[in-house]
Amino acid sequence: MIRVLATPFDPWSAIAEHQVAMQRDGEYGACATFVGTMRDINEGDQVKGMTLEHYPGMTEKHLEKIVVSAREKWQLLDTLLIHRVGDLLPNEPIVLVAVWSAHRKDAFEACRFIMEDLKSQAPFWKKESLSNGDKQAEKNRWVEKNTSGY
Amino acid sequence: MIRVLATPFDPWSAIAEHQVAMQRDGEYGACATFVGTMRDINEGDQVKGMTLEHYPGMTEKHLEKIVVSAREKWQLLDTLLIHRVGDLLPNEPIVLVAVWSAHRKDAFEACRFIMEDLKSQAPFWKKESLSNGDKQAEKNRWVEKNTSGY
Amino acid sequence: MTQSKNEHSMTIKVLYFASLKEVFGCAEQVINSTGMSTVDDVWRHVSAGCEVQQSVLNAVNQEYAASDTAVKAGDEVAFFPPVTGG
Amino acid sequence: MTQSKNEHSMTIKVLYFASLKEVFGCAEQVINSTGMSTVDDVWRHVSAGCEVQQSVLNAVNQEYAASDTAVKAGDEVAFFPPVTGG
């Protein structure tokens, strides 16, 4: 399941609910998950907020493509992928990837693969709102590039 | 935090609670988790229950050692490791590893490292209770060996 | 009456995202022009006079494309900087 | 009066886990014997007459050890099959 959400979500209850709803009890031996969360510091600057822009339509298509590609490479039982858009505050979850499989190798590798493809290819863009010190004017800046996670 | 539990646990609420209790809001950008769950089939046989034996004392020491070793290799903010012992039913969680870090590479790699070391080194032993077909007598068998997850 | 392909006037929807949206001052425009066979033709058409100082990715009909990817009437062409989600 | 090390009688606690516990018919025994300097000496002492047909790991005082690891009076020595947790 793929969801693009404009409001905050709780990753752990989302996983728990999906795990019940998918009705694979007894089949999955492994669930690997990743949750990306907004930090309050980036590149040495205090970040007080963030806006996540995306390309509606292409985003969903691309996320779907990533999941299909992971299912071709590994034996997976189910996947859950949630990504926030809109205005975020520090400590809010940005992305959730959860992968269920019979065995751990598939779950671990597919989860990481999905995250790396998402970070390098999915059409989302972050703009940070900075507040450095009391007197300094607020600044907004686009995050320029994601670094590779491998 | 390391816990060896003789009763069932809910991995998602355990993570959620730990994440609040650790008081690292705004610092962690990445949380990688793994949950291992009891399947109802193993090596082609229907498994109706499992007993997890361990070596009290050495278990906790060894798990502590794995976590220390992961913290030496990667930049981690916190870890949570829970392992069941005693009698389990299919679909009950066996193990939970959760790793919080500023960046995803550290979280992913440390989570997998902890799981692999645990599977190959931590002193736990599984005995399965099988029920193959209606008339066949129940059998118990020790799981002989964990396979490598890399 | 026949026309060479490049002479054919066609309508294309162009989208801009993130910093490029700010550079172009709009999120979306519809262009109607002749002489556009590829993504690069569209880019030269819309960026004439703009200083774009960053790497630009593009998509045709919501799929990643290359600068020499063909475009046809009715296509949706998007230009955007490197992605930073996740 | 002096004794050579191997002649010294000492008490060692020996633990068995999983299938080895079933082979030995007990989880724990205390042995008091002479001639035990290493883990392997302990193993030969306890397994005399037993057919153990699997690989056996060991630990001394709750840390993995080798068969030539030294043991001393009061040590806890454990024998067990390959681990299967997680």
Side-chain angles (χ1 to χ4, degrees):
Chain A
M1 180 190 281
I2 288 167
R3 301 179 70 188
V4 177
L5 297 180
T7 49
F9 67 100
D10 172 3
W12 313 116
S13 59
I15 297 170
E17 282 162 28
H18 186 83
Q19 193 171 260
V20 171
M22 72 187 192
Q23 298 187 296
R24 295 288 204 159
D25 282 14
E27 289 181 72
Y28 57 90
C31 177
T33 79
F34 180 85
V35 178
T37 302
M38 192 189 148
R39 294 192 306 142
D40 57 16
I41 289 203
N42 193 24
E43 293 175 25
D45 295 304
Q46 199 75 29
V47 185
K48 60 176 201 176
M50 177 187 277
T51 302
L52 252 163
E53 186 175 327
H54 77 305
Y55 183 171
M58 179 168 173
T59 303
E60 293 79 358
K61 278 187 201 174
H62 189 81
L63 296 179
E64 190 62 56
K65 196 183 292 183
I66 298 174
V67 170
V68 167
S69 168
R71 282 172 172 268
E72 284 166 359
K73 289 185 209 293
W74 293 280
Q75 293 264 64
L76 307 182
L77 291 165
D78 209 347
T79 59
L80 173 63
L81 204 170
I82 300 178
H83 204 292
R84 265 298 297 281
V85 292
D87 296 329
L88 282 85
L89 293 172
N91 212 47
E92 286 185 9
I94 299 168
V95 60
L96 157 66
V97 177
V99 175
W100 287 265
S101 182
H103 303 290
R104 72 189 184 285
K105 182 181 167 72
D106 298 84
F108 270 128
E109 293 182 0
C111 184
R112 194 168 184 188
F113 168 84
I114 290 170
M115 266 310 296
E116 290 308 316
D117 193 305
L118 185 154
K119 295 280 284 190
S120 64
Q121 302 281 333
F124 294 100
W125 299 272
K126 284 176 184 156
K127 190 174 204 172
E128 294 175 331
S129 169
L130 308 181
S131 58
N132 282 344
D134 292 337
K135 307 284 176 210
Q136 216 171 322
E138 285 178 36
K139 285 177 289 187
N140 293 314
R141 70 173 176 206
W142 291 100
V143 175
E144 280 185 17
K145 205 176 183 314
N146 280 338
T147 52
S148 168
Y150 281 117
Chain B
M1 181 190 280
I2 288 166
R3 301 179 70 188
V4 177
L5 297 179
T7 50
F9 67 100
D10 173 2
W12 314 116
S13 59
I15 297 171
E17 282 162 29
H18 186 83
Q19 192 171 261
V20 170
M22 73 188 191
Q23 297 187 298
R24 294 289 205 157
D25 282 14
E27 289 182 72
Y28 56 89
C31 177
T33 79
F34 180 85
V35 178
T37 301
M38 191 189 150
R39 294 191 306 142
D40 57 17
I41 289 204
N42 193 25
E43 293 174 26
D45 294 304
Q46 200 76 30
V47 185
K48 61 177 201 176
M50 176 186 279
T51 302
L52 252 162
E53 186 174 327
H54 77 305
Y55 183 171
M58 180 170 172
T59 303
E60 293 79 359
K61 278 187 201 176
H62 189 82
L63 296 180
E64 190 63 56
K65 195 183 294 184
I66 297 174
V67 170
V68 167
S69 167
R71 281 171 173 267
E72 283 167 359
K73 288 185 210 295
W74 293 280
Q75 292 265 64
L76 308 182
L77 290 165
D78 210 348
T79 59
L80 173 63
L81 205 171
I82 301 178
H83 203 293
R84 265 299 297 279
V85 293
D87 295 330
L88 282 84
L89 294 171
N91 212 46
E92 286 184 8
I94 299 168
V95 61
L96 157 66
V97 177
V99 174
W100 287 265
S101 182
H103 304 289
R104 73 190 184 285
K105 182 181 167 70
D106 298 83
F108 270 128
E109 293 181 0
C111 184
R112 194 168 184 187
F113 167 86
I114 290 170
M115 267 308 297
E116 290 310 314
D117 193 305
L118 185 154
K119 296 279 286 191
S120 63
Q121 301 281 333
F124 295 100
W125 299 273
K126 285 176 182 155
K127 190 173 205 173
E128 294 174 331
S129 169
L130 307 181
S131 58
N132 283 344
D134 291 338
K135 305 286 177 208
Q136 216 173 320
E138 285 177 35
K139 286 176 289 186
N140 292 315
R141 71 174 174 205
W142 290 100
V143 176
E144 280 185 17
K145 203 174 184 316
N146 279 339
T147 51
S148 169
Y150 280 117
Chain C
M1 176 184 157
T2 53
Q3 278 184 313
S4 87
K5 192 184 174 193
N6 278 4
E7 297 306 311
H8 190 82
S9 170
M10 62 185 187
T11 297
I12 285 178
K13 183 165 141 191
V14 185
L15 307 181
Y16 310 103
F17 291 97
S19 55
L20 273 186
K21 184 167 70 181
E22 295 175 357
V23 168
F24 284 96
C26 71
E28 183 175 334
Q29 70 179 127
V30 173
I31 57 173
N32 191 300
S33 177
T34 58
M36 297 188 302
S37 319
T38 67
V39 168
D40 197 44
D41 295 334
V42 177
W43 175 250
R44 276 186 278 114
H45 181 90
V46 298
S47 68
C50 284
E51 289 262 337
V52 179
Q53 306 198 327
Q54 61 191 125
S55 43
V56 176
L57 304 175
N58 64 70
V60 174
N61 298 328
Q62 309 190 347
E63 302 253 8
Y64 278 103
S67 59
D68 63 354
T69 299
V71 293
K72 59 183 192 308
D75 278 353
E76 176 178 301
V77 179
F79 296 105
F80 45 80
V83 302
T84 56
Chain D
M1 178 186 153
T2 54
Q3 277 184 312
S4 86
K5 191 184 176 193
N6 278 5
E7 296 306 311
H8 191 85
S9 170
M10 62 185 185
T11 297
I12 285 178
K13 183 166 141 189
V14 185
L15 307 181
Y16 309 103
F17 291 97
S19 53
L20 273 186
K21 184 166 70 181
E22 295 175 356
V23 169
F24 284 95
C26 70
E28 182 174 337
Q29 69 179 129
V30 173
I31 58 173
N32 191 302
S33 176
T34 57
M36 297 188 300
S37 319
T38 66
V39 168
D40 198 44
D41 294 334
V42 177
W43 176 249
R44 276 186 279 113
H45 181 93
V46 297
S47 67
C50 285
E51 289 262 339
V52 179
Q53 307 199 326
Q54 61 192 124
S55 43
V56 175
L57 304 175
N58 65 70
V60 174
N61 298 330
Q62 308 190 348
E63 304 253 8
Y64 278 103
S67 59
D68 62 355
T69 298
V71 294
K72 60 184 191 308
D75 278 353
E76 176 177 301
V77 179
F79 297 105
F80 45 81
V83 301
T84 55

